[in-house]
Amino acid sequence: MQHATLERTRHATHRGHQRTVHDCVLERLQRGDATDFPGRHPHHPRVALRILRTADGYWVAPHANGSILTVYEVETSRVDAWAWRHLHHPEQQLGRLRRLPVHHTPEQAVTADLYRLWVEA
């Protein structure tokens, strides 16, 4: 399901560069090719969390009023604890979060292809 396209704040753009978010991940988060979850935030009561799962973890883009506020990654091993702190109704949302399809960045796709050729063959 595709959602509305979001603008990035200067802060979100800066954090994206600082945290070395791959361009294809940023584009998918911005375009709405990721999944929105209802989130909790002390300064933004109606924040939504747009989440994209990659081979390495989950990229989270909190957004409100049509703008991505920031972007950060949550390691797969920490996603359950993170969900209990940041998602509304985590007991219902955790299963949905774990079932998100995995998006491979170009580098991850090459690694996955090589793994299939050399290890699984």
Side-chain angles (χ1 to χ4, degrees):
M1 177 175 169
Q2 188 155 352
H3 303 284
T5 300
L6 301 171
E7 298 296 319
R8 275 187 279 164
T9 62
R10 274 191 226 151
H11 178 78
T13 301
H14 176 71
R15 290 294 189 216
H17 293 300
Q18 188 179 48
R19 295 174 175 152
T20 62
V21 183
H22 201 282
D23 287 341
C24 67
V25 170
L26 280 174
E27 289 170 11
R28 290 178 68 101
L29 289 168
Q30 195 169 352
R31 273 196 330 251
D33 297 338
T35 305
D36 282 348
F37 288 82
R40 297 184 217 175
H41 191 281
H43 304 300
H44 302 283
R46 295 186 186 267
V47 72
L49 303 173
R50 188 163 287 175
I51 302 174
L52 181 68
R53 183 178 180 186
T54 64
D56 297 329
Y58 295 80
W59 282 99
V60 180
H63 63 94
N65 302 322
S67 294
I68 293 175
L69 306 171
T70 191
V71 60
Y72 60 92
E73 186 177 23
V74 177
E75 295 174 20
T76 302
S77 63
R78 297 172 170 245
V79 77
D80 288 6
W82 173 88
W84 281 97
R85 287 190 315 276
H86 296 281
L87 294 179
H88 277 294
H89 310 293
E91 66 283 354
Q92 298 168 9
Q93 300 296 337
L94 262 170
R96 186 172 162 232
L97 187 64
R98 288 185 197 121
R99 288 189 304 272
L100 287 177
V102 176
H103 168 73
H104 289 281
T105 64
E107 292 84 0
Q108 291 169 344
V110 168
T111 302
D113 289 345
L114 289 172
Y115 180 85
R116 278 192 294 279
L117 284 172
W118 291 98
V119 176
E120 293 178 355

